[in-house]
Amino acid sequence: AQLAESGGGLVQAGGSLRLSCAATGSIFSLNAMGWYRQAPGKERELVAAKSSDKTYYADSVKGRFTISRDIAKNTLYLQMNSLKPEDTAMYYCAARVFGVLTIATMPDYWGQGTQVTVSG
């Protein structure tokens, strides 16, 4: 499978962005998909993930971000509202063939990333 993110950009604090991740290739085998982010000087962290029966959000984004998946369009979304300067990072789409994405599991596939910058 190949993953391609889009939708990043520069936004003021309090604003919104919607990230998209288009999946191509062997997408029907992808049980879980999610979004990670990495800020300069920090480790990559799992922001949100979705599988057939579970949804995960990091505490830092609960109530502000919403992950969704459109199976028909083979696309994963991340709606980000009430953005804060600390949300500034490169955001990566990821997918796992079996099981779920958690802070303890690793994806099988990664996208190239899309930059989100929130000005304060």
Side-chain angles (χ1 to χ4, degrees):
Q2 293 79 45
L3 307 174
E5 304 95 334
S6 62
L10 174 64
V11 64
Q12 290 187 336
S16 298
L17 282 174
R18 188 176 80 156
L19 305 183
S20 298
C21 172
T24 57
S26 302
I27 57 175
F28 297 107
S29 62
L30 301 177
N31 185 63
M33 297 186 73
W35 294 93
Y36 290 73
R37 68 184 180 188
Q38 186 167 21
K42 295 187 176 181
E43 293 186 355
R44 192 172 295 190
E45 63 171 342
L46 179 61
V47 174
K50 190 170 184 64
S51 62
S52 57
D53 59 348
K54 293 183 184 295
T55 301
Y56 165 87
Y57 292 101
D59 287 343
S60 58
V61 306
K62 281 181 181 176
R64 300 189 297 122
F65 290 11
T66 302
I67 188 171
S68 60
R69 184 175 179 182
D70 188 327
I71 300 295
K73 295 183 178 180
N74 304 325
T75 303
L76 182 74
Y77 301 99
L78 185 67
Q79 178 67 44
M80 305 186 295
N81 299 328
S82 302
L83 283 161
K84 305 175 181 180
E86 51 263 44
D87 294 318
T88 295
M90 184 71 78
Y91 283 70
Y92 298 90
C93 178
R96 185 174 170 90
V97 176
F98 298 110
V100 296
L101 282 172
T102 72
I103 59 174
T105 61
M106 288 298 293
D108 298 306
Y109 302 100
W110 290 97
Q112 293 298 309
T114 185
Q115 178 68 38
V116 172
T117 303
V118 184
S119 63

